[in-house]
Amino acid sequence: MLDTPFTFELRGPGFVPSRHDNHIQRTLASMRGQYCDPAAYEALLAKGDALLYEVYELNRPHKAGEVLHGISIVHPGRVGEEYFMTKGHFHTVLETAEIYYCLSGQGAMVMETPDGEWAVEALSPGRVLYVPPRWAHRSVNTGAEDLITFFAYPGHAGHDYGTIEQQGFRKLIVERDGRPEIVDNPRWKKITN
Ligand code: 6PG
Ligand code: NI
C-alpha cells in the first residue's frame, strides 16, 4: 500500500479505475429478500444469476484519517417493477459521512436515518451528493445505462448491512408508467435491539 502520493485515471465511458485493488461483484442471488416482489425475484433468478452491480475499490488502511474511495457501477434492470439497486447500508461508525459524484447514468440515492427521517436524491452526470453522518444509503439505477458513481468515505466507517437486511429501506423506487416513482416499502419494519 502506497504511503506516497498516487494518482489513477477515471476515463469514460466505463470509468473503471486504472488502479484498483478490490473488484466486488454483487449478483441477484446475493440480494435475496431485498426485493419487494419475491415471485418476480424468483422468476428472474430462474433465468440466471444476473450481475446487479460492481464496486472497484482502492485499498487504504481502515482507520480514521484515511479516505476509502472507488467506483460503484449499478447495471440497468428491474426485479418486477423495482429497479436494480445496491444492498444499502449504514456505516458501522454511524457518525461518518460519504460523498458520491455521479459520472454516468441516471439514478437515485435512497437514504434514511435511525430516527425515521428519509430522503431520495436524484443522480445524474456531474451531480455531487453529500450523505451526512447517520444516513444509510442505497444506489438505485432508474435508467437504461450503467449508473456510475465515484465515492469517498472515512477509513474507519465500516459497513452495517444487517440492519438494512432486516428492516429494509422505508422507501422503494419502482417504475410506474415508464417513470421512476418513490413508494412506501410495505415490508419496512423497525428492528428493536
Ligand atoms: C461504501 C460506499 C460504497 C458502497 C457501494 C456498494 O460505504 O463503501 O457507500 O462503496 O459500498 O456503492 O453498495 P453496498 O455496500 O450497499 O453493497
Ligand atoms: Ni457507504
Side-chain angles (χ1 to χ4, degrees):
M1 201 175 296
L2 292 168
D3 272 334
T4 54
F6 63 89
T7 64
F8 58 92
E9 310 299 320
L10 286 182
R11 296 204 183 288
F15 294 102
V16 173
S18 59
R19 173 202 301 263
H20 57 266
D21 302 300
N22 310 324
H23 177 204
I24 299 163
Q25 297 183 298
R26 295 259 195 246
T27 66
L28 189 57
S30 73
M31 296 282 287
R32 182 176 289 284
Q34 298 301 306
Y35 280 99
C36 65
D37 183 343
Y41 174 84
E42 296 302 339
L44 189 61
L45 193 57
K47 296 184 190 147
D49 191 11
L51 179 62
L52 297 190
Y53 66 98
E54 303 173 66
V55 180
Y56 290 88
E57 283 178 330
L58 283 86
N59 262 346
R60 298 301 307 166
H62 287 212
K63 64 179 186 182
E66 288 279 355
V67 178
L68 295 171
H69 54 286
I71 292 289
S72 174
I73 304 172
V74 184
H75 299 298
R78 282 186 287 119
V79 177
E81 59 177 10
E82 211 176 344
Y83 295 103
F84 282 4
M85 59 193 188
T86 59
K87 279 177 177 275
H89 57 270
F90 285 98
H91 289 157
T92 309
V93 179
L94 212 43
E95 300 300 336
T96 53
E98 184 156 349
I99 290 179
Y100 280 88
Y101 175 56
C102 184
L103 295 160
S104 186
Q106 300 295 325
M109 191 68 74
V110 175
M111 298 165 280
E112 68 183 57
T113 68
D115 321 307
E117 298 164 280
W118 66 272
V120 174
E121 290 288 346
L123 295 171
S124 53
R127 176 161 289 188
V128 176
L129 166 68
Y130 190 86
V131 183
R134 305 181 61 76
W135 288 80
H137 37 284
R138 163 183 277 169
S139 305
V140 180
N141 184 344
T142 60
E145 289 156 23
D146 285 347
L147 173 68
I148 308 177
T149 53
F150 174 80
F151 58 80
Y153 63 103
H156 64 302
H159 297 94
D160 162 18
Y161 291 107
T163 303
I164 293 298
E165 277 161 7
Q166 293 172 63
Q167 289 187 174
F169 276 84
R170 290 168 182 275
K171 301 293 177 181
L172 306 174
I173 306 193
V174 297
E175 185 167 273
R176 300 259 165 89
D177 308 321
R179 301 166 49 79
E181 196 173 310
I182 302 167
V183 298
D184 289 336
N185 177 1
R187 302 183 313 152
W188 186 87
K189 61 178 185 309
K190 180 85 179 149
I191 53 168
T192 47
N193 295 317

